[in-house]
Amino acid sequence: MKENKPRRIKNEFLYFALRNRKLRLGVSIVLVFVFLAIVGPYFTPYDPWAYVGPPARPPSRTFWLGTTMFGQDVFTQFVYGLRPVFLVGILGGGLATFIGTMIGFLAGYRGGWVDEVLNTFTNVVLVIPTLALLLIIAAYLGVRSFFMQALFIGCTAWPWTARAVRAQTLSLKAREFVDLARISGMSPWRIILTEIAPNMLSYLVMVFILQFGGAILNAATLDFIGLGPTRGISLGLMIQIALLWGALPLGMWWWFIPPGLTIALLVGALYVTNVGLDEVFNPKLRET
Amino acid sequence: MRRYLVRKLTIYFLTFFLAVTIDWVIPRFMPGNPVQTMLSRVALRAEAVEVLRGYYIRAFGLDVPLWEQYLNFWRAVLRGDLGVSVYLFPKPVSRVIAEAIPYTLGLLVPAILLSWWAGNKFGAFAARRKWLDNTLLPLGYFLTATPYMWLGILLAWGFGVALGWFPIAGGYGFGLTPHLSWTFVGSLLRHWFLPFASLFLVMFGGWAIGMRNLIIYELEADYAQYLESLGAPRRLIRSYAFRNALLPQITGLALQMGTIAAGAVVTETVFSYPGIGLLLVQAIQNQDYFLIQGCFLFIIIGVLVANLLVDLAYLVVDPRTRRGMVGEL
């Protein structure tokens, strides 16, 4: 009997996960882009920066998404630019989730002055407009890389996560099983990691998905302002370059629509996945 | 109520302190030397470079110990003296910013308020209505996931370039000088509309979805189910749910201020709209460090003031905060 119980719960989760339309839609869109990012570059013979064709041509059979002002292949730039989107999203979002979760756990579980200090700090960072901060940091850095971008985004995007995790920890802390663990002499971090964290795992997964999407949007914004990585290509950089070289008045829609549409679809799909997961985890929200 | 306000004000004060400190620290301790960068932009003879270097070092106040530089910086900030813009020399930074403020506020205040109002109404209306929920909410998710600049570009392309209804750059017509006349106001409005619309749409999507999710939570709450079992009309239950769901949306407004400020920066850049955002981007591109510092400071102050206004609104709307029944938010 005891053996059976966890399996039943898992099956129930899978059952609702596979039946949930929002989850299926969101995950499929994300997977399509993951697939494109992985195999896309093998389908194009060109280099993203090489001048390979006549300039400013609309999509055709040789150039699937047309060419830029300078005769670079937009499709090539697009598939290469998709990779850093996932890189920055996963690293930046992951880092933000990690920092936020740790601070939230610590503040919520310890309480007292630790909570007071951490909570005030969280609220202060929460009010500072992240992007303005990222802008001035990036403006003073001469050479920038994708990893640095992810690092900065991760270090500034964590506050709302810390607050949410803290609130959850506070409510879980009052439960009997945590008291029991404390009486049995477990160390605070063990209690947090083995007793509290597993109970909010579903929540943490959802937080990561939201942070993932947020990091993608932040990175695109930085790239667009011209503070993206100094080397390499990303979707945000494509939009920036397109606007800079007058794609708008020239009506070269094939240059700026695919990268922006992809970001919107990808981040939107992440949000929809999040709602789907919420419905799977929380029976009250399931559609009848 | 006093405790609530004191707590909030402490946080804002600390934030302001931290922001000014960051504003001071970053140019001094980041790799790269702003003075060197500015000198390398003007190719001069060696002795002229030395004179200029001396000028910049005095202008930045770099010839005194660090702690004194820090105090001087605070003194200057509190006096409203933000230095002289290099890019728009010899205009003082505070004047450059003051000229840009009306455009940014004129864009942001209506966009924020209208999108919040319309988004909440619409989200509440769509919740638990199968048809609307399934058709229009994916659109809401798409909108809120759209990068601000891309929606701006899309609107500029569609309504500006393809249809030619609206101009796509500037705050008013190129041939005009600011004065009070119908032509000028008309031109102002025509230039204002597209950046406003793109900010409005992205925010609208976010509020609508937030409200929809909150209403669904509220309709599951005990009081709603109790009312339903009593046979109360659905409209009444929904109106109660709406009022309860509005509170987190007000808090959300404060939390979103930073993102909204970022959205304004890129939207103004897309439309070359002469507000603070465009100014900041131009300052960065021209490595005008005083102007960067000034814009950052102004954005921080703007966000803090907006947060404070939202807090005051919360006090008015939720009597529990006034009575001190809600510990903290």
Side-chain angles (χ1 to χ4, degrees):
Chain A
M1 199 65 201
K2 215 182 164 195
E3 288 283 307
N4 255 343
K5 218 181 165 196
R7 253 186 79 206
R8 266 223 319 270
I9 290 173
K10 207 173 168 188
N11 286 346
E12 186 203 33
F13 167 73
L14 257 181
Y15 172 76
F16 281 109
L18 290 175
R19 261 173 55 111
N20 190 292
R21 279 191 20 233
K22 297 193 180 82
L23 195 61
R24 282 204 316 241
L25 178 77
V27 171
S28 340
I29 294 178
V30 174
L31 285 182
V32 166
F33 285 120
V34 169
F35 180 74
L36 251 181
I38 294 172
V39 304
Y42 299 109
F43 277 88
T44 162
Y46 311 119
D47 179 90
W49 297 110
Y51 309 119
V52 291
R57 282 299 152 84
S60 63
R61 208 170 296 160
T62 31
F63 303 106
W64 293 350
L65 289 175
T67 60
T68 68
M69 233 3 229
F70 317 100
Q72 294 145 330
D73 183 34
V74 175
F75 179 74
T76 307
Q77 293 196 340
F78 174 73
V79 288
Y80 277 95
L82 211 48
R83 290 179 163 186
V85 169
F86 284 104
L87 180 79
V88 174
I90 288 173
L91 286 181
L95 186 64
T97 312
F98 178 76
I99 298 176
T101 312
M102 287 301 134
I103 290 185
F105 278 152
L106 200 61
Y109 187 77
R110 274 298 169 87
W113 67 269
V114 176
D115 182 27
E116 198 67 34
V117 169
L118 285 179
N119 198 29
T120 309
F121 181 60
T122 307
N123 279 328
V124 166
V125 182
L126 194 65
V127 180
I128 293 182
T130 311
L131 198 99
L133 185 63
L134 288 178
L135 279 184
I136 63 164
I137 294 175
Y140 283 103
L141 278 177
V143 183
R144 299 175 293 264
S145 69
F146 288 112
F147 282 102
M148 254 149 78
Q149 198 177 38
L151 185 71
F152 289 144
I153 290 174
C155 288
T156 47
W158 56 266
W160 67 263
T161 304
R163 249 169 65 145
V165 171
R166 172 180 172 271
Q168 296 256 341
T169 311
L170 278 178
S171 80
L172 280 174
K173 196 173 87 169
R175 302 277 186 84
E176 287 91 352
F177 63 87
V178 178
D179 287 337
L180 208 61
R182 207 176 297 137
I183 293 168
S184 72
M186 270 193 193
S187 71
W189 273 114
R190 249 198 91 205
I191 296 179
I192 288 174
L193 291 180
T194 61
E195 303 291 326
I196 294 179
N199 276 296
M200 30 193 296
L201 201 60
S202 62
Y203 186 73
L204 293 181
V205 170
M206 286 164 30
V207 162
F208 171 69
I209 291 176
L210 288 182
Q211 286 282 13
F212 185 7
I216 293 176
L217 282 180
N218 266 335
T221 310
L222 275 180
D223 290 354
F224 174 73
I225 290 173
L227 295 171
T230 24
R231 301 180 64 178
I233 178 88
S234 74
L235 296 185
L237 278 173
M238 283 176 75
I239 303 180
Q240 187 228 351
I241 297 169
L243 197 73
L244 198 63
W245 293 98
L248 203 47
L250 294 173
M252 293 165 63
W253 53 268
W254 57 90
W255 197 0
F256 57 78
I257 285 197
L261 187 65
T262 303
I263 294 174
L265 277 178
L266 189 59
V267 178
L270 285 170
Y271 290 166
V272 171
T273 307
N274 192 50
V275 178
L277 276 179
D278 202 9
E279 287 176 359
V280 170
F281 291 136
N282 187 346
K284 275 190 177 176
L285 297 175
R286 282 178 199 149
E287 278 175 41
T288 40
Chain B
M1 178 172 159
R2 171 142 350 103
R3 197 168 160 262
Y4 171 83
L5 272 182
V6 166
R7 212 186 162 83
K8 287 288 182 186
L9 283 174
T10 314
I11 285 170
Y12 297 150
F13 182 77
L14 280 176
T15 310
F16 184 67
F17 179 78
L18 187 70
V20 173
T21 308
I22 290 174
D23 211 9
W24 178 80
V25 163
I26 286 179
R28 283 169 182 78
F29 296 101
M30 281 303 235
N33 183 346
V35 173
Q36 198 55 48
T37 320
M38 284 200 281
L39 288 178
S40 62
R41 285 172 55 213
V42 281
L44 290 169
R45 281 179 315 179
E47 60 262 41
V49 167
E50 276 318 302
V51 171
L52 205 57
R53 184 195 303 279
Y55 167 76
Y56 277 136
I57 284 182
R58 257 175 290 120
F60 271 117
L62 293 176
D63 47 355
V64 293
L66 274 179
W67 62 270
E68 214 179 316
Q69 288 182 30
Y70 185 60
L71 285 184
N72 284 340
F73 186 71
W74 264 105
R75 225 168 273 147
V77 165
L78 293 179
R79 266 199 323 243
D81 170 17
L82 299 172
V84 176
S85 165
V86 179
Y87 155 63
L88 295 164
F89 193 82
K91 263 193 190 173
V93 168
S94 44
R95 247 211 20 244
V96 178
I97 290 179
E99 281 168 15
I101 286 176
Y103 290 100
T104 296
L105 288 187
L107 206 56
L108 274 180
V109 174
I112 292 173
L113 293 180
L114 282 176
S115 68
W116 191 79
W117 178 78
N120 279 327
K121 284 280 174 206
F122 181 77
F125 184 71
R128 285 277 145 111
R129 271 172 229 251
K130 206 125 205 160
W131 183 80
L132 265 182
D133 219 25
N134 286 339
T135 49
L136 289 174
L137 274 154
L139 183 72
Y141 278 108
F142 182 75
L143 276 181
T144 188
T146 306
Y148 280 96
M149 66 272 186
W150 187 68
L151 193 68
I153 293 175
L154 214 57
L155 289 182
W157 176 60
F159 294 100
V161 178
L163 293 172
W165 291 354
F166 294 99
I168 59 167
Y172 46 82
F174 284 117
L176 293 169
T177 47
H179 63 289
L180 204 62
S181 74
W182 287 120
T183 356
F184 181 70
V185 173
S187 167
L188 214 55
L189 281 177
R190 272 163 48 86
H191 283 78
W192 168 85
F193 184 75
L194 282 183
F196 162 78
S198 61
L199 281 169
F200 174 86
L201 282 175
V202 177
M203 287 192 260
F204 174 82
W207 297 127
I209 285 162
M211 192 49 153
R212 178 249 175 206
N213 293 343
L214 284 166
I215 287 275
I216 285 181
Y217 269 107
E218 290 295 332
L219 289 180
E220 291 293 331
D222 291 341
Y223 74 89
Q225 307 223 322
Y226 177 63
L227 274 177
E228 208 175 339
S229 65
L230 286 182
R234 242 185 126 59
R235 267 193 56 195
L236 183 75
I237 305 175
R238 288 185 89 95
S239 79
Y240 284 162
F242 182 72
R243 287 188 58 176
N244 275 313
L246 216 48
L247 294 176
Q249 290 288 79
I250 296 179
T251 321
L253 189 57
L255 292 182
Q256 281 294 312
M257 280 307 164
T259 319
I260 294 171
V265 170
V266 288
T267 307
E268 284 175 7
T269 311
V270 169
F271 292 98
S272 305
Y273 200 75
I276 302 283
L278 183 66
L279 203 60
L280 178 60
V281 172
Q282 282 172 339
I284 289 173
Q285 276 158 7
N286 292 287
Q287 294 178 317
D288 185 345
Y289 295 103
F290 283 126
L291 198 52
I292 297 176
Q293 280 185 334
C295 290
F296 178 68
L297 214 56
F298 176 78
I299 292 175
I300 295 277
I301 293 172
V303 169
L304 286 180
V305 169
N307 266 281
L308 194 61
L309 290 178
V310 172
D311 286 339
L312 292 178
Y314 203 94
L315 272 182
V316 174
V317 176
D318 187 358
R320 285 173 303 182
T321 5
R322 257 173 299 171
R323 305 260 164 79
M325 282 166 76
V326 181
E328 51 179 323
L329 293 153

